[in-house]
Every structure is written in C-alpha cells, then in structure tokens.
Amino acid sequence: MATAALAQVQSVLDHYSSLADAFIALEAVLLVVFNVERINLFQRRKYQQDLISPFTTKPFFQRTTLPISPQSIVGYVALSQQALIIPDPFDTQALHAIHPSLQLTGQLNEKFDGQSPHTTSNILCIPIMHAGVLLGVVQLVNKANAFGDDDLTLGTNIAQMLAQRFTYELGGTQRPLDTLVHRKCITNDALDALLMEPGLNDNPKLLLQKLISEHRIEPNLIGQSLSIHYQVPYISYDPERYHVYANANRLNESYLKHHLIAIIANNNDKPIILMAQPNNASIILEIERALNIASYDIAVGLATDILQFLGESDSHSCPAEMDEILDEISMSADDLDDPIEELSDEAPAVVRLVSRILHDATRLTASDIHIDPQKSAPTRVRMRVDGICRDLNQIPASHHNAVIARIKIMANVNIAEKRIPQDGKLTFKHSDQLIEVRVATLPTIAGEGLVMRILASSGAMPIDQLNLSTENMLMLQGMARKPHGIMLVVGPTGSGKTTTLHAILGHLNTPDKKIWTIEDPVEITQPGLQQVQVNPKIGFTFANALRAFLRADPDIILIGEMRDKETAHAAVNASLTGHLVLSTLHTNSAPETITRLLDLGLDSINFSDACVGILAQRLIRSLCPKCKAPYQATPEERAFIHRQYGADMIAELNLKTDITLYKAVGCQQCDDIGYIGRTGVHELLTMTPTLRSLIYHSANVSELTKQAMCDGMRTLLQDGIKKMLYGITDIKQIQILGGVK
Ligand SMILES: [Zn+2]
C-alpha cells in the first residue's frame, strides 16, 4: 500500500515541473492515500520567520501566514523540525505537554483557512526538510480514523520527495555555499576540496577565513549565500542598527561562542537570534526557553561578525583589507587593455578601495591623504600620520581615473573638469562618527592628483593636554584672563594652531561669555560658541565677518587666520574696543610675528597696546612610552644641548654630569616605529612695557627676541630640549626642530 502510494506520488512529481501545478494532482492522490479531509502545504517564506500556505485544499483556498513559533501546531513543527500527530487539538493538556505555549488560542489563530477550527478533529503535521533546512510543512487534517505510525512514515517519505523535487522552488540550495558556485565566486571543485579539508567543514570561522583570504570572496557574498541556503536574512556586524539584546546575559557566553550565536535586537528592540548555522532547531528552542521570548527573528551571520557582537574584535568583518582589494583590482587590471573609464566608478572594488583608504586614514589618525598619479606607473597613496608622510599603497594605473572619479563624486565636484583645481568636501561614517574631509584636486602632467584633509570633527582639547610647560601654562592662562587685547598663535601649517586656539577658547567658554568664531573651515566645534565659516565665493571674508560680529556685541572673538592687512587691521581695532581677539598667523617665531605685522602696515603703537601675547608652536613626534629606551648622552649630544640651550641659561636645567636621554625602539604598540603621536613645543612671548617701547622704536627681531627672553620667554628649541630631558621625545626630533643634523 505504502509502496504503491509512493510510486503514485513520484509519478505525479515527475509529471509536473512546478509545485503549484503538481499540487492539484498530488492533492487528489494524497486525500485518498491518507483518507483525510484537507491538506495544507505551507511554504517557508524567504527572509521572514513565517510560513505561507499557497497550496491548500479547495474550497478553503485562502492565503494564510503563520509565524514559525510554538504558538501554533504548524509553527511548532516548523520550529522543532519534528513531525507531530495531534489526536485532539482541543486537549489543552496534551498540547501543553508538547510545549507550554502551544494552546487552543494559538490553534484558533491558525484559522484553518477560514474554516471554523471546531470542525477539526485530528492533525498530522510533517516538516519538509532539505539538507537540514526547513522548506515548509505539510499538514493533513481530519482522518476518518486516528493517524497512526504508518501515516507518519508515509508522510515523512512524501515530504522528502517533495523537498528533493522542488528544492529550488521552495528556495533551498544543496549546501550553504552553493550560491557562491552559482555566482562563479569559486568553482565547484574548489569548494568541494575546501569542504573535504579536515576540520574545515565543522569550523565556520576557519572556513570563512579561507574563503576570504585564499579565494578572495567578499564577506557579504558569503553571507548572501548562507541566507539563500538557510532561508533566513543575513545580518552583518552593524552596531548602529543592532545591539546586544538586554536579556542575552541569561545565556552563558562560552555557550554562545561555542555555537556561534549572538542574541541581538534591532532598534525596535525585537530580539534576533543570529546564528552561523541557523538550522539547529534544538538550540533555537533552548534559547527561546532560556530567554523566555515568544516573538523573535532568526538570522544568519558570519562567524567573525557573531563573535564581534559577542565582544571579540575581528578585522574580517570590516571592509576587505586593502591588500585584498588591491589584489582583486590588479587581477582584473591584467585583462584590460584600456584604462577603466570614469563611468565605471561604481565598480564595487573601486568603491571599496576608496572606503578602505578613508577608514585606514582615520584608524591611523592621518591628517592628509595624497593620491599622486605617476606617468605610466602605479598611483601612489600616501598618508600623513603625526606629520610624517607614509607610503601606504599603490593603485594600478588603470584604476587611477576610477578612484579619482569616485572621490570627486563623493566630494560633489565636477567630475568632467580635469584641467583646473577644484575644492570639495565629503563626509563618511567611521565607527559612529561622521568624519569630514576636505578634497582638493590637482591637475598634474601625469594626470589628476588629489589631496584629502581629514578635519578633526571632535570637540576642543582640554588646555592641560596641550603639554605646555608649567611656566607657559601659567602665563597663557594669565593672558586669557585679560578682558581685551589680541592674542596670537603662530606657526606653519600643521603645527596645531587651531587645536591650541580651541583649547584656550574651551578654557574661557563659560555661560557668562559670548564667544564668536570665524573660521575656514570650522574644524572643531564646541557647545556654547557661535561658529561661522567664511565663504569667499559670496564675499563673506574674515574682515566682513568680523565687522558683522562687532554689531553682535561679543566678549571674545576667534578669527581663524589674519591672512591679510584688512583682517589684521580689523582684528586689532576690535581688540582695542574692548574685545579679546584670538587669531593665528603663519610665522616661524613669536618675535618675528611682530615685525611681520608691522611690515603689513599695522600701527606699531596700536598693535603693541593691543597685543597681550604671542604663542609660537610646533608639533614634534613623541616617543612610544611602552618601548622607549634610556641611555647616557654622548659627549657630542651634551655639547649640542649646551650650545642650543645657551650658555647663559643652561644653569636653569640643573643638568648633572650624566644626562639620561631616551631613544626610539619600536614595539607592537607603536607599529614598530618607536613613536606615538606628537607633542607641542612652545615659545610664549608676553607683552611687557619694555618690549612695548622696543616695538614703538621699530626694534629688529633679534633685539625683540633678547628682550622677550629676559621677560621669561623660552624658544621653541629650548622648550623642545626640556621635553627631551623629560623623556617625551628624543634628540633626533630636537635636531630636526632646530634645523641641525
Ligand atoms: Zn613602542
């Protein structure tokens, strides 16, 4: 009887190519074979944690969806992946014995396709499984006499035949990674070989690493393949959209790590069981019991992403590493005779390459990124980190234009214009933070180059982190307390002037003070400040803004830079009319700043009355505190210190006969460079009556320097030597600072 039935089913299945067509014929056979009143065939819905019944016995045809959960018989069978005979659906106790949530109300929710549940007397429910993945559920309703074990066996066999015949239609693949073969990311033989490797098949993490590093497959593609196989959505590590579910700590962490499961929640706090192998029904039921959650989603995740949700850091979930992207590009570049045109900037590898460059720059705390074209050679990508340019990567020349075009699109500048320099701005997200990047294009004879400056979008640095010497700190705070006057921070580009100015402003920023800033661009924002950005294109310059500010009656004004005579005049006038003005200038030393401003045509009396102080500064590399090594200064180094600090001042250093200095070594912490970050060195000039009279009488730089030092100023080099003696930096950095080798 059973064999005949199976043969009959097989011939129906062979005859039809689609499940919808087959079902009508199949239904007629099954109604007779099982002697039942109705048959419902539920299909697992892609990417939703539910079942839909597209095929059901007439005249009850009506679409029904059911969640995969223990609240209905079909839902429970789908969840547990176990066939079930329910002799009496109204026997609440019997239902509770199967699962506490399984109850009559849940049964009523099943609606039985519009029919009253009271006409239901018994049920046989069988999961349709393929390769360990649930594809659907067959439900047989109302057998004249009770369902028996024969029915169960026959039903299970038929479900298997259905699964095999209609795997594709029901939405399954044979193996989790088969979609990668279909998409030609890997050959079938290579995948077979990989899965045959000892220890790989049951180690999702190792398998994933091999696929990414050896077969160059993008993690997202692997996730999509798993998603197609397991019929659940794929979720990658995205802390902005998903967080760890609050009750997840009810589960043992090692249990979660062992089974590669993370319990996460979306922004609506709906729990999601994220699994590397989401076909493990018994584990899902265990978790459901432990967390006592009735409603949840199931999703598939990559092992590394799941571990990241569990708190393990792993770089594999980041965009693919630079080398991998570059390998991918150079592989595709080999087959190309013509350079890739701009329009193909959306080629995923190029998009990822640009995103990787930006993320690397942020991770390395680079200030600038240079993309330099070379004549018939690969494009160089360099980054300035702690003031030093590092050669990071090369882009194949064939992809140069595509990379430039991608950045130009992001920066919203004209991608067709390649003959004149253009400026633009782009923003990108790096671990929860929006990073702003100024982009400048530069046409060169080798092609279009590009410089990106990463703007520190953070708030102000506390003033005590500027690493000013105690004397300088006290003097600077004294100057900042003045109700009016002008205070300047000077140095070349990249010497940290803006950081210092904002640290001073942060120190002054109290609710009783009204502070306006005019900057180009606004790099650091602080609450409580009125910050304005210049826009020369529409005639909104430093000088114009300053005039507008004065009408707004501020106490303190920051002018980003005294670029020209007009701005310098306006700034001095503002400081003479009762405002404290802070600004910067591109000069090398504090005394030189005075002569520069007078050369610009500023009135020497006005300026010397207005000026309260000038801080010159530089940034020099600081030694890695983890690995720096002490040593005794050589006689040459001792002579250098004496000469540079000055014979008449060296006594204040209280040097012993043995001078301990530190040198760079290199360790894991500092990337084997021996240095981490930079420290400021400072030269602070305070205005005094003697210095003022020298300014009135147009004294030269060396006379001004001499007087300023008498008044307590120490030069950049002297300040640097002190910092070297403290072990903050080494003698090499001081020699660079002093311009001596
Ligand atoms: Zn180190």
Side-chain angles (χ1 to χ4, degrees):
M1 169 69 193
T3 324
L6 288 176
Q8 224 175 339
V9 169
Q10 191 61 54
S11 77
V12 172
L13 293 181
D14 288 345
H15 197 262
Y16 295 94
S17 57
S18 93
L19 185 55
D21 294 340
F23 187 75
I24 298 163
L26 196 60
E27 182 192 21
V29 173
L30 295 182
L31 286 174
V32 174
V33 167
F34 286 99
N35 192 17
V36 293
E37 207 171 275
R38 290 197 304 280
I39 294 169
N40 298 320
L41 182 61
F42 289 85
Q43 187 182 347
R44 168 87 164 275
R45 215 152 48 137
K46 278 186 182 176
Y47 312 120
Q48 257 123 349
Q49 196 52 21
D50 68 11
L51 296 155
I52 185 160
S53 79
F55 313 116
T56 188
T57 313
K58 286 176 277 184
F60 315 113
F61 187 81
Q62 190 187 350
R63 280 205 156 213
T64 306
T65 58
L66 281 174
I68 297 181
S69 78
Q71 277 144 337
S72 68
I73 291 165
V74 170
Y76 177 77
V77 165
L79 183 65
S80 66
Q81 304 178 355
Q82 297 291 327
L84 205 60
I85 295 174
I86 308 285
D88 177 7
F90 296 94
D91 183 349
T92 317
Q93 264 188 335
L95 293 181
H96 280 193
I98 297 166
H99 190 283
S101 303
L102 206 59
Q103 51 187 319
L104 191 61
T105 48
Q107 192 66 24
L108 284 170
N109 285 341
E110 266 180 58
K111 289 197 198 90
F112 285 92
D113 309 320
Q115 238 206 7
S116 162
H118 297 283
T119 62
T120 301
S121 49
N122 54 19
I123 300 170
L124 169 62
C125 223
I126 302 156
I128 305 172
M129 307 282 297
H130 183 69
V133 175
L134 179 90
L135 301 178
V137 172
V138 178
Q139 189 185 42
L140 306 168
V141 182
N142 287 1
K143 191 177 171 75
N145 36 6
F147 284 109
D149 286 347
D150 289 353
D151 298 310
L152 192 64
T153 312
L154 183 62
T156 306
N157 284 333
I158 291 171
Q160 266 169 13
M161 291 160 75
L162 274 174
Q164 245 157 34
R165 180 70 181 83
F166 297 110
T167 307
Y168 186 73
E169 199 168 329
L170 288 168
T173 47
Q174 184 76 28
R175 294 173 302 181
L177 297 171
D178 278 352
T179 303
L180 295 178
V181 178
H182 296 162
R183 289 189 175 171
K184 299 194 164 52
C185 300
I186 186 169
T187 64
N188 200 29
D189 290 350
L191 183 61
D192 279 345
L194 205 56
L195 295 176
M196 293 292 281
E197 270 185 48
L200 266 195
N201 201 16
D202 50 2
N203 188 339
K205 194 179 169 187
L206 203 59
L207 181 62
L208 178 67
Q209 279 166 351
K210 288 234 171 190
L211 288 169
I212 295 172
S213 62
E214 286 175 19
H215 295 272
R216 309 274 176 220
I217 300 175
E218 216 202 313
N220 272 340
L221 287 177
I222 301 171
Q224 283 165 19
S225 179
L226 297 177
S227 167
I228 288 166
H229 178 73
Y230 291 115
Q231 296 283 294
V232 294
Y234 159 62
I235 291 179
S236 61
Y237 181 70
D238 184 352
E240 271 166 43
R241 290 181 60 196
Y242 303 101
H243 56 272
V244 173
Y245 184 62
N247 281 347
N249 56 13
R250 290 191 192 177
L251 292 161
N252 183 312
E253 194 181 310
S254 61
Y255 170 90
L256 292 174
K257 279 186 181 168
H258 175 72
H259 292 290
L260 291 169
I261 299 163
I263 315 297
I264 58 174
N266 60 15
N267 292 333
N268 300 325
D269 220 34
K270 170 136 194 216
I272 301 165
I273 305 178
L274 183 67
M275 309 172 80
Q277 290 170 317
N279 57 345
N280 195 330
S282 61
I283 285 187
I284 295 173
L285 285 170
E286 270 172 40
I287 290 171
E288 186 208 289
R289 265 196 302 277
L291 295 183
N292 193 21
I293 43 175
S295 159
Y296 53 88
D297 289 333
I298 293 173
V300 66
L302 301 181
T304 43
D305 287 0
I306 291 171
L307 290 171
Q308 233 180 333
F309 274 119
L310 293 175
E312 266 183 29
S313 64
D314 195 302
S315 59
H316 275 293
S317 62
C318 295
E321 287 304 313
M322 187 80 110
D323 291 346
E324 290 165 14
I325 304 174
L326 286 171
D327 278 358
E328 185 181 324
I329 283 183
S330 57
M331 277 190 285
S332 62
D334 290 343
D335 332 323
L336 288 165
D337 294 331
D338 300 322
I340 288 183
E341 273 315 307
E342 286 79 351
L343 286 178
S344 65
D345 73 289
E346 289 301 329
V350 169
V351 172
R352 281 183 292 127
L353 176 61
V354 169
S355 135
R356 185 73 255 174
I357 291 172
L358 291 170
H359 281 87
D360 277 351
T362 318
R363 189 169 50 82
L364 295 168
T365 65
S367 56
D368 303 87
I369 307 167
H370 298 255
I371 300 184
D372 304 328
Q374 319 256 71
K375 262 230 165 355
S376 48
T379 296
R380 294 170 74 195
V381 178
R382 292 181 300 155
M383 290 187 193
R384 190 179 291 281
V385 180
D386 293 338
I388 309 284
C389 247
R390 287 201 210 168
D391 241 326
L392 272 202
N393 290 96
Q394 295 192 330
I395 302 170
S398 55
H399 280 67
H400 176 84
N401 287 348
V403 167
I404 297 287
R406 169 71 187 158
I407 297 168
K408 283 167 87 174
I409 286 170
M410 289 172 80
N412 207 12
V413 302
N414 182 356
I415 75 161
E417 179 56 80
K418 296 171 183 174
R419 296 154 305 169
I420 55 166
Q422 296 187 79
D423 290 321
K425 226 179 214 186
L426 64 88
T427 47
F428 70 99
K429 234 179 193 169
H430 180 81
S431 54
D432 258 4
Q433 222 188 347
L434 266 188
I435 314 265
E436 218 173 347
V437 179
R438 212 161 19 150
V439 178
T441 70
L442 292 164
T444 74
I445 50 154
E448 203 174 14
L450 203 135
V451 178
M452 292 186 269
R453 160 150 286 199
I454 296 169
L455 304 177
S457 59
S458 49
M461 183 185 268
I463 196 166
D464 50 11
Q465 279 178 25
L466 290 176
N467 206 10
L468 285 152
S469 68
T470 317
E471 300 82 10
N472 282 342
M473 175 67 108
L474 289 173
M475 280 201 284
L476 188 73
Q477 286 178 337
M479 290 172 195
R481 272 197 296 272
K482 298 254 160 78
H484 56 87
I486 189 163
M487 200 164 126
L488 299 170
V489 178
V490 304
T493 305
S495 57
K497 298 187 292 288
T498 308
T499 305
T500 301
L501 275 185
H502 270 276
I504 297 169
L505 275 191
H507 177 67
L508 295 171
N509 187 4
T510 51
D512 58 315
K513 297 255 175 57
K514 193 163 170 187
I515 303 175
W516 283 80
T517 80
I518 170 89
E519 297 163 87
D520 181 24
V522 173
E523 287 181 40
I524 299 170
T525 54
Q526 293 193 50
L529 263 52
Q530 310 296 312
Q531 295 180 273
V532 175
Q533 188 153 330
V534 294
N535 190 347
K537 278 182 197 154
I538 57 163
F540 191 61
T541 61
F542 280 117
N544 290 344
L546 194 51
R547 276 193 287 276
F549 280 6
L550 292 176
R551 292 194 288 273
D553 188 33
D555 299 301
I556 300 164
I557 303 167
L558 180 148
I559 302 165
E561 191 189 336
M562 298 214 300
R563 242 173 234 179
D564 47 45
K565 187 178 165 185
E566 197 191 3
T567 311
H569 270 286
V572 169
N573 286 338
S575 68
L576 288 171
T577 53
H579 307 92
L580 182 65
V581 177
L582 307 176
S583 191
T584 71
L585 217 69
H586 277 255
T587 48
N588 289 319
S589 76
E592 185 200 312
T593 309
I594 298 170
T595 56
R596 168 77 62 86
L597 284 170
L598 298 183
D599 288 348
L600 263 184
L602 283 193
D603 180 79
S604 60
I605 297 176
N606 277 353
F607 174 70
S608 56
D609 282 352
C611 183
V612 296
I614 302 169
L615 178 73
Q617 73 171 47
R618 296 286 189 285
L619 294 173
I620 59 171
R621 307 181 86 181
S622 30
L623 287 167
C624 169
K626 261 264 163 69
C627 63
K628 65 177 182 183
Y631 70 99
Q632 295 304 314
T634 62
E636 291 77 27
E637 288 170 338
R638 294 164 52 89
F640 172 83
I641 295 167
H642 277 264
R643 194 168 62 243
Q644 297 299 329
Y645 205 85
D648 42 346
M649 292 192 175
I650 192 81
E652 70 187 30
L653 292 180
N654 294 320
L655 291 176
K656 300 189 193 91
T657 25
D658 286 338
I659 303 174
T660 305
L661 297 179
Y662 289 83
K663 61 181 171 191
V665 177
C667 67
Q668 214 174 1
Q669 176 107 5
C670 57
D671 240 346
D672 269 339
I673 294 168
Y675 301 95
I676 286 188
R678 289 184 292 174
T679 181
V681 290
H682 307 98
E683 174 177 298
L684 183 57
L685 174 149
T686 330
M687 196 52 73
T688 60
T690 331
L691 198 59
R692 268 200 185 102
S693 80
L694 278 176
I695 297 173
Y696 294 159
H697 296 101
S698 318
N700 62 29
V701 173
S702 70
E703 289 166 319
L704 293 171
T705 307
K706 208 173 151 198
Q707 183 56 45
M709 286 173 79
C710 276
D711 296 337
M713 182 183 91
R714 293 295 171 265
T715 62
L716 288 166
L717 200 53
Q718 288 173 323
D719 194 48
I721 288 172
K722 279 192 203 170
K723 281 169 184 160
M724 170 187 73
L725 294 171
Y726 288 138
I728 297 169
T729 190
D730 62 6
I731 197 156
K732 267 191 213 155
Q733 304 308 311
I734 304 306
Q735 286 167 338
I736 295 168
L737 178 68
V740 257
K741 292 278 150 169

